[in-house]
């Protein structure tokens, strides 16, 4: 167990379990790669500055305060991080994200992560992040000016005087409903000035079977002004009497609010390489990979790219190695990070053989003027040297058996 107290003044990677017992700062340039736990104790504050990179499935359990203080030009980068509040303790945890770029991982996931705490998420980007079970924040909480792409939707339960403001966010290609309410006991769930850009996805939902579910959700932009489309993307009491309330979405915006961030799809690089003695090409279902000549291309976040390997004449496709691809079929990848895939092509070959009959003694056969084989018995024979697929062969008798003449037919 590593117990870290005070201020770090170095930029070397941090590994193993980390316990924060007193106010601590991680500075720009540090790489946090624990592959395990970062625990923040009661009364302690961990401040993370812009330029810090957090990776390798690191779990944060927050009993104290976690302040992620990136900037627009120097954000905090998180790859496969997980952020949890703790249950059943004396003081609430607090998590603040500002200018964070988070790829995969989870925030306040189900199963004990959505415990006792509150939060402020702002000016950040979440790509493929799971969770967002926003259950019973213990103080006013905010989600403002973020981009959620390919991530789970926000799921809120509000009680007491505490409020949750979800404002000026962008939701695109979300998994499930972008924002849903399970409970809102004191009408403190406010959803406004957001952009719900995926016109084939549910934007707002009152969860069925929860008597106190509601939200206030006017002045949002739905990616369209088609009222029928908007109504289809809102699930409330008009769709089922098991849903406790109606969502009053009007007035709605005809274009994104000027304070809402502009969504530009994040792209990742897919690199394809080829190995083996054989040859062939690899192509993608989207324009970009034709390898062949073009073996690297950028694809937007969340695109499912399918690669097809086609062997050339005389070769065999033997399979894939690398990111998420196995077997000899097509390879489909979700582009949520830079990825490398290798296609293995094997050169086809064959061996030359035949059968000898009527032999008394030994005969020396030769293939292609150099591959010699001594045969001393009747029956099948096989030359040792394999030939490339499609190449010629010519079997002749190099040395006749004593007193006999053999011919090749």
């Amino acid at each position: 167990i590593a117990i870290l107290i005070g201020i770090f003044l170095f930029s070397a990677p941090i590994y193993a379990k980390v316990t924060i017992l007193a106010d601590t700062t991680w500075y720009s340039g540090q790489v946090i790669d624990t592959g395990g736990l970062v625990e923040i104790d009661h009364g302690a504050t961990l401040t993370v500055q812009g330029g810090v990179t957090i990776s390798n499935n690191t779990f944060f359990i927050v009993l104290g305060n976690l302040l992620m203080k990136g900037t627009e030009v120097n954000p905090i980068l998180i790859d496969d991080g997980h952020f949890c509040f703790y249950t059943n303790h004396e003081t609430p945890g607090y998590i603040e994200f500002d200018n964070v770029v988070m790829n995969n991982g989870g925030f306040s996931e189900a199963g004990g992560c959505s415990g006792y705490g509150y939060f402020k998420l702002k000016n950040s980007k979440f790509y493929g992040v799971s969770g967002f079970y926003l259950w019973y924040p213990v103080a006013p909480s905010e989600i403002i000016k973020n981009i959620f792409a390919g991530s789970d939707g926000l799921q809120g339960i509000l009680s007491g005087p505490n409020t949750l403001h979800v404002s000026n966010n962008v939701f695109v290609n979300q998994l499930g409903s972008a924002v849903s309410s399970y409970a809102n006991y004191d009408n403190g769930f406010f959803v406004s000035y957001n952009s719900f850009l995926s016109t084939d996805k549910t934007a707002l939902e009152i969860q069925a079977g929860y008597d106190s579910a509601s939200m206030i959700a006017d002045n949002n932009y739905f990616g369209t002004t088609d009222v029928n489309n908007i109504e289809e993307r809102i699930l409330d009491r008009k769709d089922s009497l098991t849903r406790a309330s109606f969502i009053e979405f009007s007035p709605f915006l005809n274009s994104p609010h000027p304070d809402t961030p502009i969504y530009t799809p994040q792209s990742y690089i897919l690199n394809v390489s080829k190995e083996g003695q054989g040859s062939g090409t690899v192509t993608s279902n989207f324009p970009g990979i034709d390898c062949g000549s073009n073996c690297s291309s950028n694809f937007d976040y969340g695109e499912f790219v399918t690669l097809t390997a086609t062997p050339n004449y005389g070769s065999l496709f033997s399979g894939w190695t690398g990111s998420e691809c196995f077997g000899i079929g097509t390879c489909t990848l979700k582009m949520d990070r830079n990825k490398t895939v290798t296609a293995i092509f094997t050169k086809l070959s064959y061996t030359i053989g035949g059968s000898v009959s009527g032999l008394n003694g030994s005969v020396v056969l030769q293939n292609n003027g150099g591959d010699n084989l001594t045969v001393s018995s009747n029956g099948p024979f096989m030359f040792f040297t394999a030939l490339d697929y499609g190449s010629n062969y010519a079997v002749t008798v190099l040395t006749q058996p004593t007193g006999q003449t053999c011919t090749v037919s």
Side-chain angles (χ1 to χ4, degrees):
I1 298 174
I3 300 178
L4 306 182
I5 303 174
I7 297 176
F8 293 95
L9 298 177
F10 53 87
S11 60
I14 298 174
Y15 299 96
K17 181 179 177 180
V18 177
T19 302
I20 307 296
L21 298 176
D23 291 351
T24 301
T25 300
W26 289 346
Y27 286 95
S28 181
Q30 282 188 261
V31 177
I32 312 302
D33 190 10
T34 68
L37 289 177
V38 176
E39 296 180 323
I40 305 172
D41 199 10
H42 303 287
T45 296
L46 171 60
T47 301
V48 182
Q49 293 188 347
V52 170
T53 298
I54 299 170
S55 60
N56 196 23
N57 209 31
T58 299
F59 278 76
F60 288 78
I61 297 180
V62 182
L63 285 72
N65 303 303
L66 174 59
L67 307 181
M68 294 279 194
K69 295 289 192 178
T71 66
E72 185 175 358
V73 297
N74 199 23
I76 297 165
L77 304 179
I78 303 174
D79 189 24
D80 275 331
H82 297 263
F83 297 85
C84 300
F85 295 105
Y86 198 72
T87 57
N88 301 322
H89 59 91
E90 61 269 26
T91 58
Y94 174 64
I95 298 176
E96 180 177 325
F97 278 23
D98 191 357
N99 282 288
V100 172
V101 178
M102 184 172 174
N103 290 294
N104 305 306
F107 182 91
S108 190
E109 297 167 273
C113 256
S114 56
Y116 191 52
Y118 62 109
F119 50 86
K120 179 183 289 185
L121 309 180
K122 60 182 181 178
N123 304 315
S124 296
K125 299 175 182 178
F126 299 89
Y127 297 98
V129 177
S130 61
F132 298 108
Y133 288 86
L134 312 176
W135 292 357
Y136 302 107
V138 299
S141 297
E142 298 178 348
I143 300 178
I144 299 175
K145 296 184 179 180
N146 304 287
I147 293 175
F148 297 90
S151 297
D152 283 346
L154 313 182
Q155 303 174 64
I157 299 180
L158 277 295
S159 66
N162 303 312
T163 58
L164 174 58
H165 285 267
V166 179
S167 303
N168 295 103
N169 302 283
V170 175
F171 298 89
V172 59
N173 295 325
Q174 72 272 6
L175 304 179
S177 301
V179 182
S180 58
S181 172
Y182 284 79
N184 183 20
Y185 292 106
D186 289 298
N187 295 319
F189 197 173
F190 301 96
V191 182
S192 58
Y193 304 116
N194 301 283
S195 290
F196 303 103
L197 298 183
S198 297
T199 56
D200 60 339
K201 303 281 188 178
T202 300
L204 304 171
E205 180 175 5
I206 301 300
Q207 285 290 337
Y210 293 85
D211 293 341
S212 300
S214 68
M215 68 176 73
I216 298 170
D218 54 2
N219 289 300
N220 292 287
Y221 175 60
F222 293 90
T224 179
T225 57
D226 183 346
V227 175
N228 290 330
N229 176 270
I230 295 172
E231 288 182 340
E232 288 175 357
R233 292 161 54 209
I234 296 175
L235 299 179
D236 59 7
R237 196 164 179 82
K238 74 178 185 307
D239 301 289
S240 171
L241 295 182
T242 62
R243 303 180 189 272
S245 61
F246 294 96
I247 296 176
E248 297 296 337
F249 64 90
S250 184
F252 59 86
L253 303 180
N254 294 327
S255 61
H257 190 275
D259 291 335
T260 300
I262 297 173
Y263 172 67
T264 301
Q266 182 170 349
S267 66
Y268 293 98
I269 299 173
L270 176 58
N271 292 307
V272 175
S273 62
K274 296 182 289 185
E275 292 183 356
Q277 298 299 312
S279 63
T281 59
V282 179
T283 56
S284 58
N285 56 326
F286 294 108
I289 299 293
D290 189 1
C291 180
S293 57
N294 188 7
C295 298
S296 180
S297 185
N298 287 287
F299 294 95
D300 288 345
Y301 171 84
E303 282 189 326
F304 286 89
V305 179
T306 298
L307 300 176
T308 301
T310 304
N312 292 336
Y313 179 79
S315 294
L316 175 71
F317 174 58
S318 301
W320 306 97
T321 62
S323 300
E324 307 163 25
C325 291
F326 307 94
I328 59 173
T330 59
C331 165
T332 299
L333 301 162
K334 181 182 179 181
M335 293 305 300
D336 54 10
R337 66 188 68 195
N338 295 332
K339 296 187 176 182
T340 298
V341 176
T342 300
I344 301 173
F345 292 97
T346 303
K347 183 181 289 186
L348 291 174
S349 62
Y350 63 96
T351 54
I352 300 300
S355 181
V356 173
S357 61
L359 177 66
N360 294 314
S362 297
V363 61
V364 179
L365 303 178
Q366 187 178 76
N367 185 33
N368 287 344
D371 185 11
N372 298 339
L373 175 67
T374 299
V375 179
S376 300
S377 60
N378 294 309
F381 68 89
M382 189 74 67
F383 284 96
F384 294 108
T385 303
L387 302 179
D388 290 343
Y389 184 85
S391 59
N392 295 322
Y393 67 92
V395 177
T396 58
V397 178
L398 179 64
T399 303
Q400 295 285 358
T402 301
Q404 289 185 294
T405 299
C406 294
T407 58
V408 177
S409 60

